[in-house]
Amino acid sequence: MYTLSPMPLKTAEAIGARVQELGQAISVEYDFDMVISVLTGSFVFTADLCRAFAQGEKNTQREIRFIKASSYGNSTVSSGELKVSGMESLDLKEKKILLVDDILDTGRTLLALVGMIKSQGAAEVRSCVLLDKPSRRQVHMEADYCGFEIDDLFVVGYGLDYSDKYRLLPDIWTLKNS
Ligand code: 5GP
Ligand code: MG
C-alpha cells in the first residue's frame, strides 16, 4: 500500500512562484519558436509555464506540440524501455525548441528526446524540467532550466502520477510504501 507523506514536498504556492521565475528567465535568455511538452506528467507544469512567458509579438507566434513518452508502466521504478509517440509527425526544421518535461531522473528519457528533436532538423533544443533528481542519473544529461532539485523520492501531484492517480493534486507529495 502506498500513502502520501503528511506534508507536501512542494506546496502549490512554492511551485507557482518558481514557475514564474522560470518563465521569466527563459523569456529573457531563449528566443524559442516551439514548446514540445511531454505528456502526461508535464501537462500542469506546461500550462503554468506557458502563462509565465513574457507577453509580446514573439509569444503570439510560438507553437506548442504534445508528445507522449512513457517508461514506467504501473510501477515506481522505470522499466527502462522508453515508448515515444507523436514525434515523427512534427515539422521541427530550423526551429528553436523548448522541451518541457516533468522530472529528470535517470536522464534516459530527456537524452533520447533531445536526440530525436535534433535528428529532425531543429536549429536548437533547450530543456526545462520541473524536478531534477541528480542522485539518480545514469546517463550524462542536464536540463537547461530546472524548477527544483529533489532527493531520491517518488513524487506525485501537480500532474505527476502513480498508476494514473494523484495527478489532480495542486501540491507535490512524496509517496511512501507502507
Ligand atoms: P528518466 O528517463 O529520467 O529515468 O525518467 C524520467 C521520467 O520518469 C519522468 O518524465 C517521469 O515521467 C518519470 N518519473 C521519474 N521519477 C518520478 C517520480 O518520482 N514520480 C513520478 N510520478 N514519475 C517519475
Ligand atoms: Mg514523463
Side-chain angles (χ1 to χ4, degrees):
M1 248 263 307
Y2 285 94
T3 50
L4 289 179
S5 48
M7 298 283 285
L9 181 68
K10 300 290 174 196
T11 62
E13 195 182 16
I15 299 165
R18 183 67 187 127
V19 172
Q20 289 304 312
E21 288 177 356
L22 281 175
Q24 285 166 19
I26 293 168
S27 299
V28 170
E29 293 168 20
Y30 187 41
D31 193 15
F32 60 95
D33 304 303
M34 182 192 285
V35 173
I36 297 181
S37 169
V38 185
L39 295 173
T40 305
S42 70
F43 81 103
V44 179
F45 176 46
T46 301
D48 284 346
L49 184 66
C50 286
R51 288 176 290 181
F53 294 137
Q55 297 309 308
E57 173 61 19
K58 176 70 199 193
N59 208 41
T60 67
Q61 301 305 303
R62 288 179 175 141
E63 299 175 38
I64 182 159
R65 296 287 185 275
F66 297 89
I67 60 168
K68 188 145 177 87
S70 49
S71 66
Y72 265 58
N74 292 341
S75 157
T76 59
V77 179
S78 176
S79 64
E81 185 194 332
L82 182 68
K83 289 185 213 132
V84 180
S85 59
M87 185 81 95
E88 329 72 45
S89 58
L90 302 181
D91 178 10
L92 308 181
K93 284 198 186 61
E94 308 298 321
K95 291 185 181 147
K96 293 168 111 178
I97 307 297
L98 180 69
L99 177 64
V100 178
D101 202 359
D102 52 4
I103 306 185
L104 182 54
D105 187 36
T106 65
R108 292 184 190 284
T109 303
L110 214 58
L111 185 69
L113 295 178
V114 167
M116 288 177 198
I117 291 169
K118 285 183 181 161
S119 73
Q120 284 181 223
E124 186 173 353
V125 194
R126 291 195 199 177
S127 56
C128 177
V129 297
L130 175 65
L131 302 174
D132 181 6
K133 299 184 197 174
S135 67
R136 295 259 310 157
R137 205 75 85 251
Q138 291 176 6
V139 295
H140 186 71
M141 180 72 214
E142 297 305 325
D144 298 288
Y145 300 95
C146 165
F148 303 97
E149 281 193 5
I150 62 168
D151 294 335
D152 182 8
L153 301 163
F154 192 81
V155 292
V156 296
Y158 194 70
L160 307 168
D161 75 313
Y162 170 64
S163 198
D164 279 316
K165 304 290 197 298
Y166 304 101
R167 289 195 200 276
L168 278 64
L169 304 180
D171 307 290
I172 294 174
W173 303 78
T174 60
L175 204 60
K176 295 222 168 75
N177 199 341
S178 57

